[in-house]
Amino acid sequence: MLSLLGHTDTKAMLKNQNTNLVACPSEARGWTQILARYRTPSSTRSIIELVITAGPLVLLWFLMWATLDLGYWVCLLLAVPAAGFLVRLFMIQHDCGHGAFFHHRLTNDWVGRVIGILTLTPYDFWRHTHAIHHSTSGNLDRRGIGDVDTLTVHEYLALSRWRRLGYRVYRHPIIMFGLGPAYLFIVQHRLPVGLMRAGWKPWLSAMATNVAIATLVITMIWLIGVVPFVLVHLPIVLLAASVGVWLFYVQHQFEDTAWDRDDVWSLHEAALHGSSYYDLPSVICWFTANIGVHHIHHLCSRIPYYRLPVVLRDYPELSVIGRLTLIQSFRCVRLVLWDEGQQRLVSFHELRQGHALLARKILRARPVKAGRDAIA
């Protein structure tokens, strides 16, 4: 709809701006061969990363519990770094799911399953849905699993008034980054939503994780009580969940991301141009395990997160593709619909502006048409 107003193809402009690199799918595919040499994990480094993430998380958790009598504000302040370590632990689980953190798949899987108890994420179920996300990211005809629900302009306009309202509510920041993440990790992950009919494995993953979580929660409540446990653990989980969803959101929901129909969609093109390079401050990069280097991760998901900065160092030309700063990323919240004509994400405001401009053009054209008809 908005493309009818004569806007330029901003996605094409972005690809040609500041870099002559990777303008076609064959060249994007070539990067996977270049990046393959970074895939080998270091067992020693991975163990150290695991220890320096899980250890401080446990220490901060008990420190929060110990400071409850000093004032709850102290506990809440400590919840911020604790949530950071929980996010980092999830990123280790994420690398395990890609087989990138250790050499052997069995080691990756069992470390991932144990971490999943702390992150409230059934590992095997999540690994399966996340693999679908990687294999379909940016494909307009294969949306629905492992991604943020995104409608095209035409799909949105074809909805009834109530369904449009439902989509607006879903995409509202309070829901998307507040209530939504809490629901996802605390409620939705308790069942294999999306794979309910996919056999017993997703159910086993979800139910086994639920049993392990229940055992851990009951044990902690028995040790310190219900109220202290909730006061300590709930803010960590809620904050970490919101940060996690935010990171996933901006990695694909930026203005000049790449979406195409199945007949022209390319896995490697979508990986390179449909995933952002979220250029964050170094401290945040550490807590988020370099997940912001997402375009490289999608090109070669077997690269351990601690090797991603090395890729950018060796190939600085990759740092100009899909780059988003922290300030720029806040503008992504308003982008809610994919315009297939412009090949970019647009906001509800742009949609309204487009309709108003189109209506004015039609009204201006009507008298001319009427005059010609009268002459005829």
Side-chain angles (χ1 to χ4, degrees), residues 282-301:
S282 56
V283 173
I284 302 179
C285 283
W286 189 89
F287 275 104
T288 58
N290 302 311
I291 197 63
V293 192
H294 211 62
H295 58 329
I296 296 176
H297 167 68
H298 263 256
L299 275 173
C300 190
S301 61

Side-chain angles (χ1 to χ4, degrees), residues 208-228:
T209 303
N210 290 345
V211 170
I213 292 172
T215 302
L216 181 61
V217 169
I218 291 171
T219 301
M220 293 306 298
I221 288 175
W222 177 72
L223 289 173
I224 69 172
V226 175
V227 174

Side-chain angles (χ1 to χ4, degrees), residues 165-348:
L165 178 60
Y167 185 73
R168 283 176 172 270
V169 170
Y170 167 74
R171 297 292 300 221
H172 194 280
I174 294 177
I175 301 298
M176 182 64 66
F177 309 114
L179 298 178
Y183 173 79
L184 175 66
F185 284 92
I186 297 175
V187 179
Q188 186 171 317
H189 277 176
R190 307 288 64 82
L191 292 172
V193 176
L195 297 176
M196 302 287 280
R197 300 179 180 179
W200 60 270
K201 289 185 178 179
W203 284 95
L204 177 62
S205 175
M207 295 305 109
T209 303
N210 290 345
V211 170
I213 292 172
T215 302
L216 181 61
V217 169
I218 291 171
T219 301
M220 293 306 298
I221 288 175
W222 177 72
L223 289 173
I224 69 172
V226 175
V227 174
F229 175 79
V230 172
L231 290 177
V232 171
H233 200 61
L234 191 60
I236 298 175
V237 170
L238 294 179
L239 182 56
S242 292
V243 170
V245 169
W246 169 259
L247 289 169
F248 183 79
Y249 181 91
V250 298
Q251 285 155 6
H252 296 284
Q253 300 281 317
F254 58 103
E255 184 172 4
D256 295 294
T257 185
W259 288 82
D260 284 303
R261 292 295 175 181
D262 194 49
D263 56 341
V264 295
W265 176 83
S266 163
L267 175 67
H268 303 93
E269 178 78 0
L272 186 60
H273 293 291
S275 307
S276 66
Y277 165 40
Y278 198 14
D279 192 2
L280 295 167
S282 56
V283 173
I284 302 179
C285 283
W286 189 89
F287 275 104
T288 58
N290 302 311
I291 197 63
V293 192
H294 211 62
H295 58 329
I296 296 176
H297 167 68
H298 263 256
L299 275 173
C300 190
S301 61
R302 292 288 298 275
I303 300 176
Y305 67 73
Y306 46 79
R307 294 202 192 282
L308 291 174
V310 181
V311 176
L312 286 179
R313 183 197 66 194
D314 293 347
Y315 299 97
E317 57 266 41
L318 287 171
S319 64
V320 300
I321 299 176
R323 181 176 178 270
L324 278 177
T325 65
L326 183 61
I327 298 299
Q328 290 171 336
S329 68
F330 296 136
R331 302 169 191 162
C332 296
V333 176
R334 63 185 178 84
L335 303 174
V336 292
L337 296 167
W338 178 252
D339 187 294
E340 293 184 79
Q342 294 189 83
Q343 286 288 289
R344 69 182 185 93
L345 285 171
V346 297
S347 65
F348 289 127

Side-chain angles (χ1 to χ4, degrees), residues 93-164:
Q93 178 187 353
H94 168 263
D95 267 22
C96 288
H98 285 293
F101 206 64
F102 293 102
H103 290 277
H104 302 292
R105 177 175 176 177
L106 195 64
T107 307
N108 279 301
D109 287 347
W110 279 105
V111 170
R113 288 174 185 133
V114 172
I115 293 176
I117 299 169
L118 300 177
T119 61
L120 306 181
T121 306
Y123 169 78
D124 294 279
F125 159 70
W126 175 86
R127 182 185 63 180
H128 185 72
T129 58
H130 192 64
I132 294 174
H133 160 70
H134 268 257
S135 63
T136 62
S137 180
N139 191 321
L140 286 170
D141 296 315
R142 300 178 65 189
R143 288 166 285 170
I145 296 181
D147 53 21
V148 176
D149 289 345
T150 305
L151 296 179
T152 68
V153 169
H154 290 289
E155 289 168 344
Y156 175 76
L157 294 176
L159 294 178
S160 66
R161 180 178 298 180
W162 287 108
R163 293 187 67 185
R164 286 189 196 181

Side-chain angles (χ1 to χ4, degrees), residues 11-26:
K11 177 184 169 186
M13 291 175 59
L14 177 70
K15 289 184 182 179
N16 293 324
Q17 188 178 17
N18 298 327
T19 180
N20 294 320
L21 181 69
V22 195
C24 68
S26 60

